[in-house]
Amino acid sequence: MHYRTLGNSGAVVSTYALGTMTFGAEATEEQSRAILDDYFAAGGNFIDTADVYSSGVSEEIIGRWLADRADARDRAVVATKGRFPMGQAPNDVGTSRRHLVRALDDSLRRLGVEQIDLYQLHAWDPITPLEETLRFLHDAVTSGKMAYYGFSNFLGWQLTKAVHVAKAQGWSAPVTLQPQYSLLVREIESEIVPASLDAGIGLLPWSPLGGGWLSGKYKRDQPPAGATRLGENPKRGMEAWEARNADPRTWDVIAEVEETAGRHGVSPSQVALAWLADRPAVTSVILGARTVEQLADNLAAAELRLTAGETERLTEISRPRVGVYPYGPMAQEQRSRKLEGGR
């Protein structure tokens, strides 16, 4: 396992984080504890969860595991999130001080810790004034309830605004952003990645295998079946079967990933993860394993080194489609400049 600083903080985390959305849902507590054991045995130290994962059960499983593993608690960097509904009342959702005070305290209780290492806003809140939210986060850092804070699913302008409001007020600054990012979903490179680099924000990509597509488990024009996420629900979320299957780019990318994997004698998943871990601004890639076998395969990506040529081919074939403006080649050229001047 390799390590990097957590965004622009001094905390150190493994380059692969353990995502725990499956805990208490697709993975039983016994399976979840086995996954945690194997992850830490491999040198991982970064656990990512959220209050809404299995309605708090994911946090509770992690909390019980930490209570039984004092050695791991000393090593662990624990991240959780708040923002989405945890009840039916109007104030059971959002990033208001009213909601976040309760959400943070509930997460601390379920995890059984006195401080959250990284507390993240799970998404932008269009209703709550940003100043209210950022002041709450600053107060929570100052009081010691959280060490650092970050965001998830923010757009580029939202991230930049938050960074500069916090700076102008002299409040604690965010250190991370958690976006969807993979060889199949690269649209964040137009605005979010540049905004993160500008602010020194570390990216924590979720769904790095595109909901399982980049593992090679699905075949063209063969609807998924069996005990897989799309086999159980082909219309599931952003990785739904019909739209991606109908897009030739999907299969071009998968073919290149599989060809690269064959040359190295590794799984397609490891190639996709290794490519992502080396992208600009990426701090730690979040693994969403359902079993210890999946985790072991994913963690092996830490030792895979793609050649410059392989990285270039993967990057080129997965390049997202953009319009002529403002992200097309000619528009990008307008924003560039030669050091020596001239046309």
Side-chain angles (χ1 to χ4, degrees), residues 179-215:
Q180 183 178 184
Y181 194 16
S182 72
L183 278 162
L184 291 177
V185 181
R186 292 180 51 194
E187 284 75 8
I188 71 167
E189 293 175 2
S190 292
E191 293 282 356
I192 296 172
V193 170
S196 298
L197 289 170
D198 179 65
I201 296 291
L203 296 179
L204 309 175
W206 59 267
S207 195
L209 298 179
W213 285 83
L214 293 168
S215 70

Side-chain angles (χ1 to χ4, degrees), residues 23-203:
F23 287 13
E26 299 165 65
T28 65
E29 180 157 357
E30 181 181 4
Q31 292 169 328
S32 301
R33 292 173 74 99
I35 289 170
L36 284 162
D37 286 339
D38 286 3
Y39 173 70
F40 272 76
N45 75 338
F46 192 16
I47 304 171
D48 179 75
T49 187
D51 57 2
V52 293
Y53 292 171
S54 302
S55 299
V57 175
S58 176
E59 290 182 326
E60 291 172 349
I61 290 174
I62 294 166
R64 287 190 287 269
W65 182 82
L66 289 172
D68 293 339
R69 292 285 306 274
D71 59 327
R73 179 63 193 105
D74 291 340
R75 292 169 49 201
V77 177
V78 179
T80 192
K81 313 177 198 72
R83 190 280 194 195
F84 289 133
M86 289 296 286
Q88 298 302 317
N91 287 309
D92 291 340
V93 62
T95 64
S96 68
R97 180 179 288 271
R98 169 69 163 69
H99 175 64
L100 291 179
V101 163
R102 289 159 176 75
L104 176 57
D105 284 347
D106 287 344
S107 288
L108 287 164
R109 173 181 50 79
R110 286 189 289 262
L111 288 164
V113 298
E114 295 181 355
Q115 182 184 74
I116 303 293
D117 297 308
L118 176 67
Y119 192 77
Q120 302 157 101
L121 303 182
H122 214 150
W124 176 263
D125 181 351
I127 295 176
T128 304
L130 183 59
E131 290 80 2
E132 176 181 342
T133 303
L134 294 177
R135 181 55 193 262
F136 164 79
L137 293 168
H138 171 72
D139 290 345
V141 170
T142 302
S143 69
K145 287 190 174 183
M146 64 180 73
Y148 307 103
Y149 75 88
F151 308 122
S152 181
N153 303 311
F154 272 37
L155 299 175
W157 72 265
Q158 295 166 347
L159 173 64
T160 298
K161 181 176 181 178
V163 167
H164 286 283
V165 168
K167 183 177 181 180
Q169 296 292 341
W171 295 336
S172 303
V175 300
T176 57
L177 173 67
Q178 195 174 128
Q180 183 178 184
Y181 194 16
S182 72
L183 278 162
L184 291 177
V185 181
R186 292 180 51 194
E187 284 75 8
I188 71 167
E189 293 175 2
S190 292
E191 293 282 356
I192 296 172
V193 170
S196 298
L197 289 170
D198 179 65
I201 296 291
L203 296 179

Side-chain angles (χ1 to χ4, degrees), residues 254-275:
I254 291 173
E256 186 65 37
V257 168
E258 291 179 337
E259 183 178 334
T260 304
R263 286 195 297 271
H264 286 272
V266 301
S267 70
S269 296
Q270 292 172 36
V271 171
L273 293 169
W275 176 87

